[in-house]
Amino acid sequence: MAESAVLLFSWKASKLLARSHIHNYVHLKCCRRCLWALGLVHSHSVHKPEICLVLQSTHLPSADGTRTLSNLYFLKPALSPSESIKKDKYRNKKQKNIGKRKDYSQTKLEKDLILVDKTRKSLVTILEAHVTRMKSIENMLLHPAHASMKPDEHHFQNGGIWHNKSSKAQRELKNASEDYHHAFKEVMKDGVIPLDDNIAFLASANTLKTSDIVPHDQCQLPLSSQKQSGDALTADTAEKHLRISGDHLTSVQKSIISQTIGQQNVTQDNRLETSTAFTDFEDGNTDSHIHLSKTAQTDGSSKVHVDEKNMLPAVVALGFNNNLKVFVDACISAKMVARAHATVSYYVKRAQHRPKVNSNVSDVGIFNLVAHAWAKQGNTEKVKEVFRMMREAGVSLNHQSYAAAFECVASQTTTDKTLGKKILSQLEKKGLRVEAIFNNCEFRGDGKEKVFAAIKAIRPTFVPDPPPALKGYSAKLVMHLNEEDMKASGRLDTPYSGLFTKEELIIRGRQQCKAELKGQVAVKSIEWKPPLDSRTIEMRKILEESQKKWKETLHDAFVKNVKILSHKLSSTKVVNVLPFLRVLKAEDYVDIMLQEVRLLAESSETFSPGVQILYRGLGQKVQNRYATQVKINDQLTSKIQKLYSEYLQYFTDVRLTCEKIPREYWQSLLEASPEGPTVDVEEKGWPFHVLTGVGRFLYDILVHELKIDTAALMTSKEKMSKYMPIFYKIFRNVGVQVKEEIKPHPAVVKLFKGAAEEQLLFETNLVPMLSPPIPWSSTKYGGYILSSARLIRLPFMASQQQALLDQAPSNQLYPVFDSLNQLGACPWIINEPILDLVIELFNNKGSVELDVAPPVSECPQLPKILPGMTKEEKANVSKECLAIKRKRAEMYSLWCDALYRLSIADHFRKEVFWFPHNLDFRGRVYPCPPHFNHLGSDVARSILKFAKGQPLGKHGLDWIKIQLINLTGLKKRNPVSERLAFANQMIANILDSADKPMTGSKWWMSSDEPWQTLACCIEVAKATRSPDPDKYICHLPVHQDGSCNGLQHYAALGRDQHGAEQVNLFPFDVPQDVYSGVASMVESLRQKDAESGIEIARVLEGFIKRKVVKQTVMTVVYGVTRYGARLQILRQLKDIPDFPQDYAWKGAGYLVQKTFQSLSEMFTATREIQDWFTECARLISQVRGQPVQWITPLGLPIVQPYYRTVNGAKSVPGVEGKMTRYVLHHGITSEKPNVMKQKNAFPPNYIHSLDSSHMMLTSLHCQSDLPNDGSICDITKQRLNKVLASVPPRGNFNLKNVLESTYFFS
């Protein structure tokens, strides 16, 4: 294996390379004018590194017994951006005649060429002078003892010559030029630099990239001067350089320069070409980099092969392109097309100048957006420039690109058929079919009609391809549902049939569209407030007047600040926040800010979120409003409303219900209406830094511009106006960090509190719908009609998963779509008797026992420090005050949550409503409205009922009774027959609870789920008292929950017989309770320790109950840590009145240890599988350097979005001071996954995805086998394959036994 020596010209570079395990290097310095190496050292000061030499020698002796130097590499010279800017400014100031100023990029290029030329000639001189002393030079470079010598000692011991004067250096260079070829032939052996594993390792170091290594035969004309640095290399400059050093160039070097000149001439010809449009649509040639071998040495013997086919797209590159795409889209919506064009051009050129992974514009959609924007204006020249940019960026044109070209032709005053024929010719030359444009492209406004007219004018016989035929499911688990008889079965009586007529649904649909266009829903608060008095009326009048003034102030300030920002950012082309502040009208931003004023004024007085959360929340409101506005601008609103009115017929026509599912019917409507804009258009969600930037800008206006007259709130007659800012910033210590918060002025809080507003405002995507949701048929559109809704709630880091979703075949995700659509199509109503009781209790100070949040007034008062207290007593009082403040903040948060939930429920009291659904990144299903849904707490579930009921039937009443006992938690270990018998025994208490819930025996209050128990008691009473219980129409939903579902999945995966029995996968006459089983094992271990004299074991006697260990047992399979489990058990011990609290922390630690020990003994296979999952995830993320990804049994691709984050904020030329806050920086994410999070999160995330797949299968059909586990991506590295192949052994449990298990659901 070869050894490497590196000559560095900055101490920083030497330190970085030292961390890369390259130790045999010598540190030298360079001057500004000339570079000396191989023993020659300058005498001037150094300010920047110009070049780095990487030399390599072999162990093979030459003929004379010495080792010869075989390889020489140059690292490309680069100037610091900040230093370049300073030089540029200084040079411009010195030049008196403006007409004589030169372009700095050209000047810099000439200096680079002169520098490299001098460097080459210096090396020729050195090599010619020292070729006979190569052994001593090599020993000097490679021997570690010489690395620490001073330059003087180092030089004179090797007989070097000092070159302190440039004139002497020039004479040396001139004399040595004649022997250039001979010297390099002797030293470099034919002048060819082979790449081997040593240099491959060097290139893979953290600080050096493959593109930074240049062979010596290309060093005469650096690659940075042509494509990679972005400098404009003209033919004159290259020919001048060729004349200077042409006598010393090899044939390879001459060919490179000739090729460079030719390419430059072609580029100039293309730029000068204006008369002939669209003559060249060829793709841009990619830059010629040095390609490393795919096989790299690891430990000297074994080789690890990396299969790049399975590598995910770089997350940083995806993030950069997504951010740029969002910016371009915002610019176009804000009618700033020129700014979008200039920004894309800037980043394309910057990528050529500084090739980085995270700054290459590689998304063709970015260019297509700009091209379509110019095409709508009929600007042919600008569209040509966009296509030239694509060629420079190496991006291929697709159907969408040519659609923009055709739209440009049609947007002109007269259609240029000659131009259209050239476009058509180029399209077909690339192997694309013009007939496929309308199926592969997205159109806005009248773009589709224009493209069709342009093509029809060129080719009168043109007929577009018909829409592709609908495909069936591709997942094996549901392929049998593709059969026609399976499609029609079970849908004659749906949850929505017979509820409404088509006309009634259309009216409700119009109401929903109107609300979504408005963007807000006003909901009356259920909070009890005293009757109106004169003071309240006066405060409302003051508030109304103040809001009018605030509205005018905000409008003027917003317009003024946007103009200032536009002026400050006019000279920069980087992505910034400006277009996002112009996508809406100024009035819309003002309305959003006024809503934020009220939100902050009515927030908690003891707790407020950090400014980053506030910024992001305010930016999200702007983005939601913008998403609706885009549909209006693109003329999409009217088309969607028309299609939606036709879609509502599906819920009233039994024939359609039997023939198609909601997704298929919606797709058939889209196919029948091809005219107009595309409905399934990608919604470009704003990244978090955009949301933060927009929110920061608006909050700056709120904080600095709005004021309140505090004197107006005084009751005294003599008032002197005193205006104070309504918001101020505070800084709070949170641990070791300082948290910045924004608090309202007490006068503002007093004003809103005194006005006693009766309505709460909610975004339309935060409340249920008045009509059925739009069915999901693609990843781009579904859920709400016009409001923003995303299929998957992806965090900002999850750009890779979004890329996989976009690449997945449409029918691969159909099972997921259909499951969401079926859940969303189910209508709901309010259980009014339960809602009335909860509201009454809520306004009567709540109840902690019944999970109804009490108001903050019920929190204890803060203790005071009294005179005479000791330091210890004062410290205890301070701790108690801190605990009470935290308790107040928690109580207020819970109270607000209950207020929102109950107010929304009361708003829909007399309505039928629907919950649209979507997913998280693991595939778990959630309703979109967060405050009120059927997956909420016990209170939320109790006040919801199915809109359409069903007759109980022969045994229905018995099952309702069994459900009631299940909710109480009293007979969990008893069989069904005993539960039914117990319900019949308690029928008196059940009827008493239904008739007198708040004044009777209150039996229902002792239940585990009291409010659902009460709802069930009322239903049992109504059914029992009905004339015929079998025909009683019941609307009560019955929620089913697995018996420790996580352990069920692990037991099924491992075919663990013992574990399956514990979690009711195996049929028994009596249900098994794993929580009680674990508690029993912990108790037996405690008894042994108590007998051994362990104190804490004796203290815990009688306190180890099922409830104490339940949460820990439930969450251990989802990755709970020992510390987290200790906190869970600590909370349970604190809730036990008789337990000595002094032993709570110690007892929790003891029980955690025993609980984990019991679980390991009870579920051995589960622990083995979980450990194997963890190790696989660790190796995938650490060895392979990729996030863990898999595909669920229903075809949903999942990628864990955990990466190392770094701060990518950098200075921007021309943007200084506070304006830098509004420049949006990219590169905030590292390419490397976070190994710790990847390995710890994979087991629970994988189980969650399987659990969700089971739920979706249940919604698609009633019976199915347990699905296979998801397939992890193919890994080709040997060590990783070895671990992945070591699958824990399976047991002998038969999964078909699950079908016979009565108590699978608890």
Side-chain angles (χ1 to χ4, degrees):
M1 192 177 194
E3 296 178 345
S4 292
V6 183
L7 274 68
L8 302 172
F9 300 95
S10 72
W11 288 111
K12 180 179 180 181
S14 65
K15 293 178 181 179
L16 292 175
L17 276 179
R19 290 202 297 265
S20 300
H21 309 290
I22 301 178
H23 303 291
N24 295 330
Y25 62 87
V26 178
H27 177 266
L28 299 178
K29 294 183 177 180
C30 65
C31 64
R32 292 182 178 272
R33 287 288 184 179
C34 194
L35 179 66
W36 309 108
L38 299 177
L40 301 179
V41 184
H42 67 90
S43 61
H44 301 292
S45 61
V46 175
H47 297 280
K48 66 176 182 299
E50 294 285 3
I51 200 167
C52 179
L53 305 180
V54 181
L55 294 93
Q56 189 171 22
S57 66
T58 63
H59 291 293
L60 299 177
S62 59
D64 58 353
T66 62
R67 292 189 299 170
T68 59
L69 196 66
S70 61
N71 294 339
L72 174 63
Y73 291 83
F74 297 93
L75 264 75
K76 296 179 297 185
L79 288 176
S80 170
S82 59
E83 189 171 1
S84 300
I85 295 170
K86 292 179 181 179
K87 281 186 174 183
D88 189 14
K89 293 181 179 179
Y90 179 77
R91 185 186 67 257
N92 290 338
K93 289 181 180 180
K94 291 295 183 181
Q95 291 178 346
K96 296 181 180 180
N97 190 347
I98 300 178
K100 294 183 179 181
R101 291 182 180 178
K102 297 182 179 179
D103 182 72
Y104 181 61
S105 60
Q106 178 70 19
T107 306
K108 178 180 179 296
L109 172 61
E110 294 176 354
K111 289 183 178 180
D112 284 349
L113 294 177
I114 294 173
L115 172 64
V116 174
D117 186 62
K118 290 182 178 181
T119 302
R120 177 184 56 78
K121 294 179 180 180
S122 301
L123 292 173
V124 170
T125 304
I126 296 165
L127 292 172
E128 196 268 344
H130 296 281
V131 68
T132 58
R133 297 185 293 109
M134 189 56 62
K135 180 178 180 180
S136 61
I137 295 175
E138 185 184 16
N139 291 336
M140 177 270 295
L141 292 173
L142 299 180
H143 199 282
H146 294 279
S148 60
M149 290 185 179
K150 297 180 180 179
D152 294 339
E153 301 171 353
H154 185 90
H155 167 76
F156 287 117
Q157 287 187 7
N158 290 278
I161 302 174
W162 282 91
H163 293 265
N164 292 330
K165 297 181 180 179
S166 59
S167 59
K168 187 176 181 179
Q170 294 295 333
R171 291 194 300 270
E172 293 287 344
L173 294 175
K174 184 176 180 180
N175 296 333
S177 61
E178 296 179 356
D179 298 325
Y180 176 81
H181 288 292
H182 176 71
F184 267 85
K185 184 176 181 180
E186 291 294 331
V187 178
M188 300 302 172
K189 305 296 184 184
D190 299 330
V192 179
I193 308 297
L195 275 175
D196 60 8
D197 298 327
N198 212 20
I199 294 300
F201 170 75
L202 175 65
S204 64
N206 291 334
T207 57
L208 299 180
K209 298 182 179 179
T210 307
S211 58
D212 294 329
I213 299 179
V214 184
H216 78 280
D217 60 338
Q218 299 179 18
C219 209
Q220 313 308 318
L221 185 63
L223 295 181
S224 62
S225 64
Q226 208 269 325
K227 290 184 178 179
Q228 299 180 4
S229 68
D231 293 331
L233 178 62
T234 63
D236 295 338
T237 305
E239 290 177 354
K240 179 180 178 181
H241 179 71
L242 184 61
R243 290 194 298 269
I244 293 175
S245 56
D247 295 338
H248 313 294
L249 298 178
T250 64
S251 59
V252 177
Q253 295 163 347
K254 291 181 180 179
S255 64
I256 292 175
I257 295 179
S258 300
Q259 183 181 2
T260 303
I261 297 174
Q263 291 177 350
Q264 180 64 27
N265 290 335
V266 171
T267 304
Q268 291 179 350
D269 293 340
N270 288 338
R271 291 180 179 177
L272 294 174
E273 179 188 4
T274 56
S275 59
T276 305
F278 306 104
T279 58
D280 186 10
F281 289 99
E282 298 299 328
D283 300 337
N285 296 325
T286 57
D287 297 342
S288 56
H289 299 291
I290 297 177
H291 299 284
L292 294 180
S293 173
K294 301 300 180 185
T295 305
Q297 297 286 353
T298 55
D299 54 0
S301 57
S302 62
K303 295 184 178 181
V304 178
H305 178 69
V306 181
D307 184 6
E308 294 188 349
K309 292 182 179 180
N310 291 326
M311 299 286 281
L312 288 171
V315 63
V316 174
L318 284 174
F320 168 78
N321 282 273
N322 290 339
N323 295 341
L324 183 57
K325 193 172 186 178
V326 168
F327 174 81
V328 170
D329 179 71
C331 286
I332 295 172
S333 297
K335 299 181 180 180
M336 301 168 59
V337 183
R339 171 62 68 92
H341 186 108
T343 300
V344 175
S345 177
Y346 165 78
Y347 282 110
V348 170
K349 293 179 180 179
R350 193 184 74 165
Q352 296 173 349
H353 178 65
R354 291 181 296 171
K356 296 181 180 179
V357 176
N358 64 337
S359 63
N360 294 327
V361 187
S362 57
D363 189 350
V364 66
I366 297 173
F367 299 98
N368 291 338
L369 283 174
V370 182
H372 272 289
W374 289 124
K376 289 184 181 299
Q377 302 178 14
N379 196 326
T380 306
E381 298 302 323
K382 291 296 184 180
V383 176
K384 287 194 302 179
E385 289 184 18
V386 174
F387 290 157
R388 278 197 290 269
M389 282 194 297
M390 297 176 68
R391 184 169 59 251
E392 293 174 4
V395 177
S396 301
L397 278 72
N398 60 4
H399 282 100
Q400 191 76 52
S401 308
Y402 289 102
F406 284 120
E407 185 178 0
C408 183
V409 173
S411 299
Q412 295 176 345
T413 307
T414 57
T415 303
D416 189 347
K417 295 185 178 181
T418 304
L419 178 59
K421 290 180 180 179
K422 292 180 180 179
I423 298 173
L424 186 60
S425 174
Q426 287 292 335
L427 182 146
E428 295 176 342
K429 184 179 179 181
K430 286 181 60 66
L432 302 178
R433 298 178 61 255
V434 67
E435 292 80 7
I437 282 184
F438 296 97
N439 289 333
N440 297 336
C441 298
E442 296 179 355
F443 296 95
R444 293 182 173 184
D446 57 350
K448 181 181 292 186
E449 286 71 20
K450 288 184 177 181
V451 173
F452 181 80
I455 299 176
K456 197 73 173 178
I458 302 166
R459 185 175 293 177
T461 60
F462 169 75
V463 177
D465 287 344
L470 295 179
K471 299 179 181 179
Y473 298 145
S474 60
K476 294 182 180 179
L477 290 175
V478 289
M479 287 186 68
H480 64 282
L481 297 180
N482 293 327
E483 301 174 5
E484 293 297 330
D485 56 342
M486 295 296 296
K487 286 185 177 183
S489 63
R491 287 206 295 267
L492 293 176
D493 188 14
T494 62
Y496 37 79
S497 59
L499 289 177
F500 298 100
T501 64
K502 181 181 178 181
E503 290 73 19
E504 292 173 339
L505 275 180
I506 290 177
I507 294 175
R508 299 176 68 88
R510 291 173 181 172
Q511 294 176 351
Q512 180 65 30
C513 290
K514 183 178 179 180
E516 293 187 23
L517 286 173
K518 186 179 180 182
Q520 292 180 337
V521 176
V523 175
K524 184 178 180 181
S525 174
I526 54 92
E527 180 186 5
W528 179 87
K529 295 178 181 178
L532 287 177
D533 54 9
S534 59
R535 181 59 179 171
T536 303
I537 296 175
E538 181 183 0
M539 295 293 281
R540 288 185 178 181
K541 183 178 180 181
I542 296 174
L543 177 59
E544 184 179 358
E545 294 176 354
S546 299
Q547 287 179 336
K548 289 182 180 179
K549 294 180 181 179
W550 292 344
K551 189 171 184 178
E552 295 176 359
T553 302
L554 289 175
H555 185 277
D556 296 340
F558 177 81
V559 174
K560 180 187 68 174
N561 288 357
V562 169
K563 288 182 179 179
I564 294 174
L565 183 65
S566 177
H567 176 71
K568 293 291 185 180
L569 299 179
S570 60
S571 60
T572 179
K573 298 178 181 178
V574 298
V575 172
N576 56 73
V577 78
L578 180 61
F580 300 98
L581 299 172
R582 290 181 170 177
V583 293
L584 300 174
K585 296 179 181 179
E587 292 77 10
D588 294 329
Y589 292 99
V590 172
D591 291 341
I592 294 173
M593 285 189 284
L594 285 176
Q595 296 169 22
E596 195 72 7
V597 171
R598 179 182 175 183
L599 181 65
L600 278 185
E602 295 177 348
S603 62
S604 172
E605 299 179 8
T606 58
F607 172 79
S608 61
V611 292
Q612 295 298 322
I613 298 177
L614 293 176
Y615 293 161
R616 201 174 306 170
L618 188 56
Q620 185 63 56
K621 293 178 181 178
V622 176
Q623 196 270 331
N624 292 340
R625 188 76 63 90
Y626 167 67
T628 304
Q629 187 64 38
V630 167
K631 294 182 175 67
I632 298 175
N633 296 341
D634 294 343
Q635 305 173 15
L636 192 57
T637 306
S638 57
K639 181 176 181 179
I640 290 178
Q641 291 177 341
K642 179 181 178 182
L643 291 173
Y644 184 68
S645 298
E646 297 179 12
Y647 170 70
L648 292 177
Q649 182 181 356
Y650 178 84
F651 297 90
T652 60
D653 192 333
V654 178
R655 179 184 57 82
L656 290 177
T657 305
C658 295
E659 291 179 355
K660 299 178 182 295
I661 56 179
R663 171 184 56 81
E664 293 175 343
Y665 184 62
W666 175 256
Q667 289 175 325
S668 65
L669 293 177
L670 294 178
E671 293 176 6
S673 303
E675 68 282 349
T678 305
V679 174
D680 293 336
V681 179
E682 178 185 4
E683 183 177 315
K684 301 171 181 63
W686 294 355
F688 78 94
H689 57 274
V690 173
L691 302 176
T692 304
V694 174
R696 179 187 290 111
F697 181 87
L698 299 181
Y699 258 107
D700 285 346
I701 297 176
L702 290 175
V703 172
H704 295 99
E705 300 293 339
L706 291 190
K707 299 182 184 300
I708 184 173
D709 185 7
T710 56
L713 305 179
M714 298 180 182
T715 57
S716 59
K717 296 182 179 179
E718 297 182 1
K719 300 179 180 180
M720 295 183 62
S721 298
K722 185 179 181 181
Y723 288 91
M724 299 292 294
I726 68 172
F727 296 120
Y728 57 94
K729 292 185 178 181
I730 64 172
F731 296 87
R732 192 192 304 268
N733 292 325
V734 180
V736 297
Q737 297 179 346
V738 178
K739 180 182 177 182
E740 182 182 2
E741 298 178 358
I742 296 178
K743 301 289 290 185
H745 193 279
V748 180
V749 177
K750 182 180 179 180
L751 176 60
F752 277 90
K753 188 175 182 180
E757 291 286 339
E758 297 181 353
Q759 289 186 334
L760 303 173
L761 297 179
F762 293 95
E763 300 285 328
T764 50
N765 58 357
L766 300 181
V767 296
M769 298 181 63
L770 292 172
S771 55
I774 296 288
W776 292 101
S777 58
S778 68
T779 60
K780 301 175 182 178
Y781 179 59
Y784 291 94
I785 304 173
L786 300 174
S787 297
S788 175
R790 304 187 66 180
L791 173 66
I792 300 183
R793 305 174 182 184
L794 293 177
F796 173 70
M797 307 293 186
S799 54
Q800 291 178 312
Q801 185 170 358
Q802 184 62 51
L804 293 181
L805 288 171
D806 296 338
Q807 297 170 6
S810 57
N811 61 330
Q812 178 179 327
L813 299 176
Y814 280 171
V816 177
F817 294 157
D818 292 341
S819 177
L820 293 176
N821 296 336
Q822 290 187 24
L823 294 172
C826 179
W828 299 81
I829 58 174
I830 295 296
N831 191 340
E832 295 187 42
I834 300 296
L835 177 62
D836 292 335
L837 289 173
V838 177
I839 292 177
E840 180 183 356
L841 186 60
F842 176 81
N843 286 322
N844 193 22
K845 298 184 179 181
S847 173
V848 177
E849 294 77 12
L850 295 178
D851 196 25
V852 178
V856 181
S857 59
E858 297 300 305
C859 187
Q861 296 296 322
L862 294 175
K864 298 181 180 180
I865 298 179
L866 302 176
M869 284 186 173
T870 62
K871 290 185 178 180
E872 183 178 356
E873 291 174 341
K874 291 180 179 179
N876 292 334
V877 171
S878 299
K879 290 181 180 178
E880 187 177 355
C881 288
L882 181 61
I884 292 177
K885 288 181 180 179
R886 290 177 178 174
K887 182 67 175 177
R888 281 185 177 180
E890 181 182 356
M891 290 179 64
Y892 184 78
S893 176
L894 295 175
W895 184 84
C896 289
D897 180 64
L899 175 66
Y900 292 165
R901 180 185 301 112
L902 297 178
S903 298
I904 294 174
D906 186 66
H907 178 76
F908 289 93
R909 176 187 292 268
K910 301 295 183 179
E911 299 286 355
V912 178
F913 50 90
W914 286 259
F915 294 113
H917 288 65
N918 60 1
L919 311 166
D920 65 7
F921 79 94
R922 304 165 299 182
R924 290 181 66 87
V925 179
Y926 298 94
C928 293
H931 302 298
F932 175 60
N933 57 65
H934 56 86
L935 295 185
S937 62
D938 173 48
V939 174
R941 295 185 178 191
S942 65
I943 57 182
L944 281 171
K945 297 196 302 183
F946 290 128
K948 181 180 179 180
Q950 292 287 345
L952 285 179
K954 185 177 181 180
H955 302 289
L957 181 58
D958 292 342
W959 283 112
I960 293 294
K961 293 179 180 179
I962 294 172
Q963 167 67 5
L964 190 153
I965 301 304
N966 290 342
L967 292 170
T968 62
L970 299 175
K971 298 291 181 178
K972 283 187 174 292
R973 305 203 69 173
N974 297 83
V976 171
S977 58
E978 295 183 12
R979 299 182 193 184
L980 179 59
F982 180 75
N984 292 327
Q985 294 175 7
M986 305 300 296
I987 191 65
N989 289 330
I990 295 173
L991 297 178
D992 178 77
S993 297
D995 298 336
K996 298 178 290 183
M998 307 304 292
T999 59
S1001 62
K1002 303 179 183 179
W1003 173 80
W1004 62 277
M1005 292 186 181
S1006 60
S1007 170
D1008 287 350
E1009 307 287 348
W1011 292 104
Q1012 292 182 76
T1013 302
L1014 178 59
C1016 204
C1017 288
I1018 295 175
E1019 204 71 16
V1020 170
K1022 290 181 178 180
T1024 302
R1025 293 165 179 169
S1026 65
D1028 188 355
D1030 295 350
K1031 297 181 180 180
Y1032 173 75
I1033 304 299
C1034 179
H1035 295 258
L1036 186 72
V1038 177
H1039 297 269
Q1040 296 287 345
D1041 191 14
S1043 301
C1044 197
N1045 200 241
L1047 288 174
Q1048 286 181 331
H1049 280 87
Y1050 274 116
L1053 288 173
R1055 306 299 194 271
D1056 181 11
Q1057 179 68 33
H1058 179 66
E1061 294 174 357
Q1062 294 295 322
V1063 291
N1064 292 306
L1065 292 185
F1066 190 81
F1068 283 103
D1069 295 333
V1070 178
Q1072 304 299 306
D1073 185 17
V1074 63
Y1075 308 116
S1076 300
V1078 173
S1080 299
M1081 292 187 66
V1082 173
E1083 173 62 20
S1084 62
L1085 294 174
R1086 186 206 63 80
Q1087 292 177 0
K1088 294 180 182 179
D1089 292 341
E1091 295 173 358
S1092 302
I1094 298 178
E1095 180 185 8
I1096 190 62
R1098 295 178 177 177
V1099 174
L1100 289 168
E1101 182 177 0
F1103 295 105
I1104 302 178
K1105 305 295 183 180
R1106 177 183 184 272
K1107 189 175 182 180
V1108 174
V1109 299
K1110 177 181 178 180
Q1111 188 177 10
T1112 301
V1113 174
M1114 187 188 308
T1115 57
V1116 70
V1117 294
Y1118 298 121
V1120 67
T1121 62
R1122 289 182 179 267
Y1123 179 77
R1126 189 174 190 175
L1127 295 179
Q1128 292 173 350
I1129 295 178
L1130 178 64
R1131 285 193 292 268
Q1132 298 298 330
L1133 293 178
K1134 287 184 176 181
D1135 291 340
I1136 301 177
D1138 299 334
F1139 186 79
Q1141 296 301 316
D1142 294 340
Y1143 291 92
W1145 179 253
K1146 187 176 181 180
Y1150 175 84
L1151 291 180
V1152 165
Q1153 179 184 357
K1154 299 304 177 183
T1155 301
F1156 274 73
Q1157 180 181 346
S1158 302
L1159 286 171
S1160 298
E1161 296 176 2
M1162 185 178 296
F1163 297 95
T1164 306
T1166 297
R1167 176 57 61 182
E1168 291 177 357
I1169 296 173
Q1170 194 172 13
D1171 292 342
W1172 180 68
F1173 280 162
T1174 303
E1175 182 64 10
C1176 289
R1178 184 186 70 83
L1179 292 176
I1180 292 171
S1181 56
Q1182 190 175 56
V1183 178
R1184 191 168 183 258
Q1186 289 283 299
V1188 182
Q1189 61 168 321
W1190 69 96
I1191 300 177
T1192 67
L1194 291 185
L1196 181 67
I1198 296 176
V1199 182
Q1200 294 196 142
Y1202 310 124
Y1203 303 92
R1204 297 180 183 177
T1205 56
V1206 296
N1207 187 7
K1210 300 179 181 179
S1211 61
V1212 179
V1215 183
E1216 299 176 353
K1218 294 183 178 180
M1219 289 299 109
T1220 58
R1221 298 183 301 172
Y1222 305 120
V1223 174
L1224 307 178
H1225 301 282
H1226 306 297
I1228 61 169
T1229 306
S1230 171
E1231 292 284 354
K1232 297 182 179 180
N1234 189 317
V1235 178
M1236 183 64 68
K1237 289 186 177 181
Q1238 288 284 341
K1239 74 182 185 69
N1240 289 338
F1242 174 56
N1245 286 342
Y1246 183 72
I1247 295 300
H1248 277 308
S1249 68
L1250 292 184
D1251 188 17
S1252 174
S1253 297
H1254 278 123
M1255 190 280 301
M1256 292 181 185
L1257 284 168
T1258 305
S1259 69
L1260 294 175
H1261 50 69
C1262 297
Q1263 292 183 352
S1264 66
D1265 294 333
L1266 188 70
N1268 300 326
D1269 54 349
S1271 58
I1272 301 176
C1273 59
D1274 179 34
I1275 310 299
T1276 57
K1277 295 188 177 183
Q1278 294 181 2
R1279 181 185 177 192
L1280 193 53
N1281 274 332
K1282 183 178 180 180
V1283 175
L1284 294 177
S1286 303
V1287 182
R1290 287 183 174 181
N1292 55 3
F1293 174 66
N1294 186 359
L1295 282 179
K1296 293 184 178 180
N1297 290 327
V1298 176
L1299 302 178
E1300 305 298 330
S1301 177
T1302 304
Y1303 305 103
F1304 177 86
F1305 293 105
S1306 59

